[in-house]
Amino acid sequence: MEKRQSELCLEILRRFNKAGILKDFILIGSWCVYFYKDYFSNVPYIDQATIKTRDIDFLINNPSGIREEVNVPILLKDLGFVTTFKGARGYLKLDHPDLLLEFLVPEKGKGTDKPVHLPKLGMNAVALRFLSFLSVNTIKVKVEDFYVAMPHPANFALHKLIIFQRRIKEDKAVKDRSVAIEILKSLIAKDEFSIIKDVFNSIPKKWQAKVIKGLSKSEDKDILAVLESVG
């Protein structure tokens, strides 16, 4: 991860924390891999230099629960973020040469192809499937003098094994799968077999089938053995 990207990400987190809105967010996406490094400090883990992404995504599990009124585009404007819109529906993103910031919410019911408005934040969010899986089991990682909520690495990795099969771009699909496998291997090295199995057992059978399909290659047999173990 380039230093200027990580410093910019940290400044965003600092400002969100100071404004009182960081508590409403769960950091998801590839930036979790960067911040998981302390969780895996005693076992082999992903080489941080291989993590390259502009996308920084925040999941808001309960949009109606936001209490603070903070205009996020204005809060980050002096850092060089500009407001852009994606697609005809008007999905709002904050664009910077080094980072692209977006908010997401779990898709509910039949779903929607329209942005979910977040009036207190001066933003809107994209509703996507499977995101509730990331919010149901979280950890808090200390960053400087504050904490950031993130999905437990087991949830993060199994989620990646589900969504990579929905990717249109092959390079992103390959990256998602590779990251998921490396994190699961690190969890196994950390002797967290039961956590992997418990998380796997907590998801619907259709999702389990997708995970197994994503691990269909022979080199993933150790992970498959954990998922298919009894008890």
Side-chain angles (χ1 to χ4, degrees), residues 4-5 8 54 79-81 95-100:
R4 63 186 184 187
Q5 280 187 313
L8 183 57
R54 285 184 67 228
L79 293 177
F81 282 93
D95 200 351
H96 182 282
D98 295 323
L99 291 177
L100 188 62

Side-chain angles (χ1 to χ4, degrees), residues 3-229:
K3 185 175 181 180
R4 63 186 184 187
Q5 280 187 313
S6 58
E7 283 299 321
L8 183 57
C9 178
L10 286 170
E11 180 59 22
I12 292 169
L13 295 176
R14 292 183 195 114
R15 293 190 182 198
F16 285 176
N17 179 62
K18 186 176 181 180
I21 56 176
L22 186 60
K23 65 183 183 300
D24 298 310
F25 306 154
I26 302 172
L27 180 66
I28 62 174
S30 296
W31 275 92
C32 289
V33 180
Y34 175 79
F35 288 106
Y36 284 152
K37 60 185 184 290
D38 289 337
Y39 188 90
F40 292 113
S41 60
N42 297 322
V43 297
Y45 186 54
I46 299 171
D47 180 3
Q48 297 295 300
T50 66
I51 308 167
K52 294 181 180 180
T53 180
R54 285 184 67 228
D55 299 332
I56 178 169
D57 300 322
F58 288 98
L59 170 61
I60 302 178
N61 193 50
N62 181 24
S64 63
I66 297 173
R67 295 290 176 261
E68 303 295 333
E69 193 162 336
V70 179
N71 189 297
V72 173
I74 292 177
L75 182 67
L76 304 181
K77 186 176 181 180
D78 68 298
L79 293 177
F81 282 93
V82 297
T83 301
T84 62
F85 294 90
K86 178 183 178 182
R89 299 289 183 181
Y91 293 108
L92 192 154
K93 294 187 176 185
L94 293 179
D95 200 351
H96 182 282
D98 295 323
L99 291 177
L100 188 62
L101 179 63
E102 187 174 12
F103 289 103
L104 307 172
V105 296
E107 187 177 78
K108 296 181 179 180
K110 294 181 179 179
T112 178
D113 61 353
K114 296 179 181 179
V116 176
H117 294 290
L118 305 171
K120 289 191 175 181
L121 301 181
M123 295 281 294
N124 66 38
V126 180
L128 295 177
R129 293 184 65 195
F130 304 116
L131 289 184
S132 58
F133 182 37
L134 296 177
S135 63
V136 73
N137 182 26
T138 61
I139 62 172
K140 287 190 176 181
V141 175
K142 189 173 184 180
V143 178
E144 297 182 339
D145 60 345
F146 55 89
Y147 289 86
V148 181
M150 301 177 198
H152 188 282
N155 293 67
F156 178 89
L158 295 180
H159 177 261
K160 285 286 188 187
L161 288 175
I162 294 170
I163 66 167
F164 93 84
Q165 299 170 65
R166 299 166 60 88
R167 290 284 198 188
I168 296 174
K169 294 183 178 180
E170 185 177 355
D171 59 334
K172 287 192 174 183
V174 171
K175 179 182 175 182
D176 278 350
R177 184 182 184 279
S178 176
V179 165
I181 289 170
E182 290 303 314
I183 288 178
L184 289 172
K185 287 180 178 178
S186 294
L187 285 168
I188 291 172
K190 197 174 164 67
D191 291 329
E192 294 195 356
F193 305 92
S194 61
I195 294 177
I196 298 173
K197 187 66 185 296
D198 288 346
V199 172
F200 179 73
N201 286 339
S202 73
I203 62 179
K205 295 295 184 183
K206 287 184 178 180
W207 294 18
Q208 290 181 1
K210 288 181 181 293
V211 170
I212 297 298
K213 181 181 178 182
L215 290 169
S216 59
K217 294 186 178 179
S218 59
E219 64 264 27
D220 304 326
K221 61 183 180 181
D222 291 344
I223 300 173
L224 282 168
V226 170
L227 298 182
E228 295 172 349
S229 61

